[in-house]
Amino acid sequence: MSSPHRLPTDGWLGTRELPGYRAGNVVVMLDDLPEVDSHHLYFDLLLLDAGGRIQDNHSGPCYALARQRSLDERSRFVRVVAELVRHAPGDARGLAAIGQALIFIREHGVERDRLIAAAQLLDDVCSERAVADSLNHVLELSVGEEEARRAMCDVVVGLARTSGFGPLDTDPASPRAAAPDFDSRVSGINDSGLAMQVSYVVRTVGKTRARHYLREVTDLEMVPKPDMFGV
């Protein structure tokens, strides 16, 4: 399986005891501030601008990580959160729109059910494009781009049969919108790559339902998991 696309700035920061990870323009770090909270580690999430300068931040005690949690658990936490939030911040509002989701993550952690709930909170407030980018990224992490494209071909066909083509038809510049028959429209989406397939699903079922829908029809959890990163 080919590795998912990574930016050259992606990677580990901090120390083994207090790790951090950068995913795109998002940096997640842990600190130990006993004067703030003597029982839990401290959570910092930074949003960087195009020049690498801090544009916004969200910080606070990480009630999901007691200070006695293992070093491996700490690494898993920062990597998974960074990958989950990678596409979420909006250009205009920074981290303000996703503050509720970040608080939920700090309080409840990234175990499976809680991670899915956090992802749903993010989807509720993110743009359609951000949700599509997030889902596209998780599909690549789960099975690789080529296998994801093959799996999504069946998803597109099934959704088109039950729901039609919806908002994609509103783009007069798109050759898919003018295609005269079902097979041509489906082929146009599937031949355009994984990003178009995922975008079609998000536009058709809605951004708040897309992650749940893809979990049901692909048998993939559609959230980043530690074993995807070897941590």
Side-chain angles (χ1 to χ4, degrees), residues 28 43 45 57-59 77 81 85 95-96 98-108 118 121-122:
V28 177
F43 174 93
L45 189 144
N57 75 290
H58 175 99
S59 304
F77 181 86
V81 174
V85 181
L95 299 176
I98 64 172
Q100 182 182 1
L102 296 179
I103 292 172
F104 182 90
I105 290 169
R106 282 200 288 117
E107 293 181 347
H108 299 287
L121 288 173
L122 290 172

Side-chain angles (χ1 to χ4, degrees), residues 34-116:
E35 67 276 14
V36 177
D37 190 317
S38 60
H39 301 292
H40 302 91
L41 296 173
Y42 195 78
F43 174 93
D44 276 307
L45 189 144
L46 310 178
L47 176 62
L48 308 180
D49 63 17
R53 297 176 293 271
I54 297 175
Q55 176 182 338
D56 201 355
N57 75 290
H58 175 99
S59 304
C62 190
Y63 300 115
L65 281 181
R67 293 177 67 192
Q68 65 267 26
R69 297 290 285 271
S70 72
L71 303 186
D72 286 345
E73 289 176 301
R74 300 179 186 192
S75 296
R76 285 196 294 270
F77 181 86
V78 296
R79 182 70 189 270
V80 169
V81 174
E83 296 290 354
L84 179 68
V85 181
R86 175 191 287 267
H87 301 287
D91 294 335
R93 297 182 60 190
L95 299 176
I98 64 172
Q100 182 182 1
L102 296 179
I103 292 172
F104 182 90
I105 290 169
R106 282 200 288 117
E107 293 181 347
H108 299 287
V110 293
E111 300 303 323
R112 178 184 177 276
D113 291 341
R114 293 168 180 175
L115 187 61
I116 292 172

